Amino acid sequence: MKYNEYNTASLNAVGGKTAGLTMTVATMQLGVCALYAITMWLVRINPARLFGFQAPEKQSAPKSTSSDVVKTLPVGLCSAGAHACTVFALGGDPLFGQIVKSGEPVLSALVNTLFYGKPPTMTKAMCLPIIVGGVAFASLKKIEGTYALKFDQTALVFGMLANSFAAFKGSENKKLMSDKEVADRYGGVGNQFAVTQILAFFICLPIMFATEGELFGKFTDLLFSSKELQFNLVMSGLCFYLYNELATMTLKVTGPVTASVANTAKRVIVMVYMAAVTGKALTDEQKIGAGIAIGGVLLYSVIDDMLKPKEPKKKEA
């Protein structure tokens, strides 16, 4: 929730979505993530558990080999793409971008079916049209008594790209951590996530200079002169890192079903919160479409568990 606010404020501080510095903001956010990860290794303490009212835990640098880092590159590439595209999508329209982002299971099902040979179950597949229908309805706008498609193209295109990268990242990450030796050398998902963010930063750097390099001088001038940009850039990077780490911790403690319900509730809260922050209200079509899409995502997440046959109770001897 706070990431979305700080991200929007960072983009506004550099001139908004038309200023041509969106990729730079996305890259610098990953730079903050990289610095945070390195600092965490230097002090050997991970403070993330404090947000769950638990004592911080020790976290030393991983004992990974260069081969492990090479194996992590696909995850880093997908992470870089997912993050950069998300920043572009939310920069286009924070509210509609969130609605498009809620359709991630559709791209995940497509990617896993075509590239990894792991299609969703039939019951999950039946939920996908609900999600697509919700996003489609949210794209409609009533003009002179008739409905027409009207939406922010940047939010739609980059939101779909972000969902695609996220789907690849999830599968590649699972494949990477299934290698027990690599997982042991990383010493936990916290270190693996930290390395991924550092890789993502270095992957985004050349893209940033290739696409927005001529404006980097302008960005540095703004960075040194604008306290608003300094604060929001640092906070957006930190919030992005901590949110992802806390989400992983929550999944470990609660299980996938509870985490899915919490994630669904999060999307609703984020949209309501961003509507208040940006002063831009959701249209009736966006409210209905978002409700349908998010409801479809929730159903997609829990339907297999809901329909799973209950194990018969053991008879007492």
Side-chain angles (χ1 to χ4, degrees):
M1 184 168 69
K2 296 301 289 184
Y3 166 74
N4 289 272
E5 178 184 348
Y6 294 133
N7 178 61
T8 300
S10 297
L11 291 172
N12 288 339
V14 297
K17 63 182 180 181
T18 59
L21 287 168
T22 304
M23 187 66 201
T24 303
V25 169
T27 304
M28 292 301 108
Q29 286 175 352
L30 290 174
V32 172
C33 292
L35 287 173
Y36 176 83
I38 293 169
T39 303
M40 185 174 60
W41 289 333
L42 290 173
V43 300
R44 297 186 178 184
I45 293 176
N46 185 346
R49 288 181 178 270
L50 289 171
F51 294 94
F53 303 104
Q54 298 177 18
E57 64 179 351
K58 292 182 179 179
Q59 185 163 330
S60 301
K63 299 176 182 178
S64 306
T65 64
S66 57
S67 175
D68 295 338
V69 175
V70 171
K71 289 180 181 179
T72 311
L73 275 173
V75 185
L77 176 63
C78 294
S79 184
H83 177 69
C85 290
T86 296
V87 174
F88 272 96
L90 299 181
D93 185 332
L95 298 178
F96 184 61
Q98 283 291 342
I99 296 173
V100 177
K101 285 282 291 171
S102 70
E104 184 176 320
V106 178
L107 272 300
S108 178
L110 188 63
V111 166
N112 279 291
T113 300
L114 295 178
F115 295 94
Y116 297 94
K118 296 180 180 179
T121 62
M122 182 58 68
T123 49
K124 281 183 177 288
M126 290 172 66
C127 298
L128 297 178
I130 301 174
I131 303 171
V132 174
V135 174
F137 193 82
S139 306
L140 296 174
K141 188 171 183 180
K142 204 169 187 178
I143 303 173
E144 296 180 357
T146 58
Y147 281 105
L149 285 171
K150 188 173 177 64
F151 52 86
D152 188 291
Q153 291 184 356
T154 300
L156 179 64
V157 172
F158 281 98
M160 295 290 283
L161 284 172
N163 288 344
S164 301
F165 276 115
F168 278 108
K169 182 182 75 171
S171 295
E172 288 297 324
N173 190 67
K174 187 175 181 180
K175 187 167 68 173
L176 174 71
M177 298 310 283
S178 66
D179 187 326
K180 194 174 184 304
E181 291 183 358
V182 173
D184 287 344
R185 285 193 290 270
Y186 267 122
V189 293
N191 277 338
Q192 187 262 325
F193 177 72
V195 172
T196 298
Q197 295 313 297
I198 294 170
L199 288 174
F201 169 62
F202 284 108
I203 289 169
C204 280
L205 268 180
I207 300 172
M208 178 194 80
F209 283 114
T211 57
E212 299 176 356
E214 60 184 19
L215 296 173
F216 191 68
K218 175 186 174 182
F219 173 79
T220 54
D221 290 341
L222 286 170
L223 185 61
F224 286 115
S225 62
S226 172
K227 290 184 178 180
E228 180 187 0
L229 177 58
Q230 293 168 7
F231 175 78
N232 287 297
L233 195 60
V234 171
M235 291 305 296
S236 59
L238 287 175
C239 286
F240 174 76
Y241 191 103
L242 290 170
Y243 161 72
N244 281 281
E245 192 166 29
L246 288 169
T248 303
M249 289 168 55
T250 302
L251 182 60
K252 279 186 174 181
V253 175
T254 61
V257 176
T258 305
S260 295
V261 174
N263 193 47
T264 301
K266 178 209 75 174
R267 292 201 182 278
V268 177
I269 295 168
V270 165
M271 280 191 279
V272 172
Y273 182 78
M274 288 307 296
V277 169
T278 60
K280 181 181 177 182
L282 289 165
T283 65
D284 290 338
E285 291 77 21
Q286 286 179 328
K287 290 176 185 176
I288 295 170
I292 294 170
I294 293 171
V297 171
L298 176 60
L299 187 61
Y300 179 92
S301 303
V302 303
I303 192 165
D304 281 350
D305 290 286
M306 290 171 60
L307 299 178
K308 187 186 298 181
K310 295 182 179 179
E311 294 182 4
K313 293 182 179 179
K314 293 181 179 179
K315 292 183 179 180
E316 294 182 4

